[in-house]
Amino acid sequence: ARKRDGKNGAQLYDPAILDQTRERAEIESDIEVGIAASWFEAHFQPIVDIETGVASGFEALMRMRHPRKGLMAPGSIISVAEETGMIAQIGNLILEDAMANLARVSRLPGMDDTYVAVNFSPLQFEPGLPARLAGLLGHYGIQPQRLVVEITEAVLMHDNPEIRTILNEIHHFGCLIALDDFGTGYSSLSYMSRFPVDIVKIDQSFVRSLTDKAGDVGSKNKMLIEGISAISHKMNCKVVAEGVETEEQRMLLRQMGIDYAQGYLFSKPREISELLSALTARQAELRSMAS
Ligand code: C2E
Ligand code: MG
Ligand code: MG
Ligand code: MG
């Protein structure tokens, strides 16, 4: 690291911290410009039936298409956007893009009951959210059960009655609620009884440890996944495993009763034009097989 001394020889700034501050400021200004200049777009990753590998729906994942830096994943963006509150605007842009593109995908033959799962930040849970969702669904003529609202523990943590009311309204309206990154937080299980949950998404760290960690840890995590799966089914929830990368993981998860899988084994997140051409090609293939 560069060494920078103060006037009287004392180290005033830690250059590493200075770099971090600069980088953060740059991300913040990129986000501001990006919102105004429409750099944000949703990419789509299939969520497949673990038995057949057929996509039942897609998760919308935020990307920022920076004209100079290229496509940026949410990693560095989300935390800055959360701190500044800009995540609410970004979230709404991604939601709108996801709905518009779900409408396009739905027009393909046989795709009229596919769904989109959208990630929501705690800051999006304001009282106007249910009406906004209803408005968008109405605009695109999409049935509410074809929108999955993905939330993490961060949304539920403070047991805020206002957030509970909003979630109940959304659920009552007919949208599905998915608990994302399940099992990594503090009280995942208790959220299942206190909030209206339809889908449990088992965090990719569990999936990875199935085949990465030999012996005790691997086999204990296997028991945890089996347990989560059994409890979820008892509570009438469907279970999705995240981050499935190998056929071996898929086979194990299938034996454990997992319903759906998402991961690079099936597909990376794709931009909408790629997704549409992949789906169209697949359908042509199916038609030629049938004839
Ligand atoms: P998430 O919702 O748990 O999304 C799954 C993440 O796992 C995605 O990362 C996806 O690209 C990645 N992934 C999928 N399959 C595999 C796999 O087989 N192996 C590995 N290693 N990774 C896989 P991504 O797109 O970078 O998103 C990261 C996180 O950022 C998301 O985690 C979500 O928490 C957040 N995020 C993404 N889009 C949005 C958004 O529109 N709004 C909000 N509030 N958060 C978002
Ligand atoms: Mg998610
Ligand atoms: Mg997740
Ligand atoms: Mg995650």
Side-chain angles (χ1 to χ4, degrees):
R2 281 167 291 130
K3 197 177 163 81
R4 192 190 288 175
D5 288 342
K7 279 202 179 87
N8 45 16
Q11 180 107 0
L12 292 182
Y13 302 107
D14 178 342
I17 290 180
L18 205 63
D19 282 352
Q20 269 174 30
T21 312
R22 241 186 244 124
E23 197 184 305
R24 193 196 171 287
E26 197 175 317
I27 294 171
E28 192 174 329
S29 92
D30 280 347
I31 295 173
E32 265 169 41
V33 176
I35 290 173
S38 308
W39 291 351
F40 286 94
E41 61 186 48
H43 282 206
F44 298 89
Q45 187 180 35
I47 300 169
V48 309
D49 182 311
I50 202 159
E51 301 273 342
T52 63
V54 174
S56 59
F58 300 87
E59 178 170 8
L61 294 158
M62 174 238 284
R63 299 290 182 265
M64 184 167 79
R65 195 178 287 279
H66 193 290
R68 206 159 27 79
K69 301 176 187 168
L71 207 57
M72 296 168 77
S76 55
I77 299 168
I78 299 260
S79 60
V80 175
E82 295 265 6
E83 282 170 42
T84 58
M86 293 188 287
I87 190 71
Q89 281 173 76
I90 300 172
N92 285 327
L93 292 172
I94 296 301
L95 172 66
E96 282 168 25
D97 198 26
M99 298 291 270
N101 284 315
L102 176 62
R104 293 173 72 186
V105 168
S106 304
R107 278 184 227 117
L108 297 172
M111 298 294 285
D112 57 326
D113 61 356
T114 193
Y115 64 85
V116 71
V118 180
N119 295 283
F120 282 75
S121 139
L123 291 173
Q124 286 174 274
F125 281 81
E126 36 91 27
L129 182 62
R132 185 201 303 277
L133 295 183
L136 275 170
L137 288 162
H139 178 78
Y140 289 107
I142 292 170
Q143 306 95 300
Q145 70 274 16
R146 296 177 53 211
L147 173 64
V148 176
V149 173
E150 288 201 4
I151 55 174
T152 59
E153 187 171 271
V155 172
L156 309 176
M157 214 150 57
H158 306 291
D159 205 354
N160 180 336
E162 208 170 282
I163 285 188
R164 187 199 295 259
T165 305
I166 296 167
L167 267 178
N168 280 329
E169 264 179 69
I170 292 172
H171 190 253
H172 193 248
F173 181 65
C175 298
L176 303 185
I177 312 287
L179 271 184
D180 205 351
D181 303 343
F182 192 84
T184 56
Y186 295 104
S187 42
S188 306
L189 286 176
S190 79
Y191 296 129
M192 287 177 78
S193 59
R194 286 186 288 139
F195 296 94
V197 179
D198 304 287
I199 297 162
V200 165
K201 298 189 79 173
I202 296 183
D203 192 69
Q204 52 185 55
S205 58
F206 287 101
V207 173
R208 192 153 315 131
S209 75
L210 271 183
T211 42
D212 270 12
K213 300 208 174 71
D216 235 23
V217 180
S219 72
K220 281 182 177 164
N221 273 317
K222 184 166 182 274
M223 289 185 248
L224 277 178
I225 297 179
E226 270 168 340
I228 292 170
S229 169
I231 292 171
S232 302
H233 289 141
K234 279 226 164 89
M235 315 264 306
N236 278 323
C237 293
K238 294 290 186 192
V239 186
V240 181
E242 302 195 88
V244 180
E245 293 182 355
T246 68
E247 192 55 50
E248 188 191 1
Q249 289 168 342
R250 179 203 189 171
M251 245 167 46
L252 288 168
L253 291 162
R254 186 176 162 178
Q255 285 162 9
M256 289 179 226
I258 302 301
D259 305 292
Y260 300 97
Q262 186 179 347
Y264 298 162
L265 175 64
F266 308 100
S267 170
K268 295 208 165 189
R270 287 182 166 128
E271 64 180 89
I272 184 64
S273 57
E274 285 171 17
L275 175 67
L276 287 170
S277 41
L279 289 173
T280 309
R282 173 88 187 118
Q283 283 173 338
E285 194 185 314
L286 288 175
R287 269 196 306 276
S288 75
M289 274 161 60
S291 65

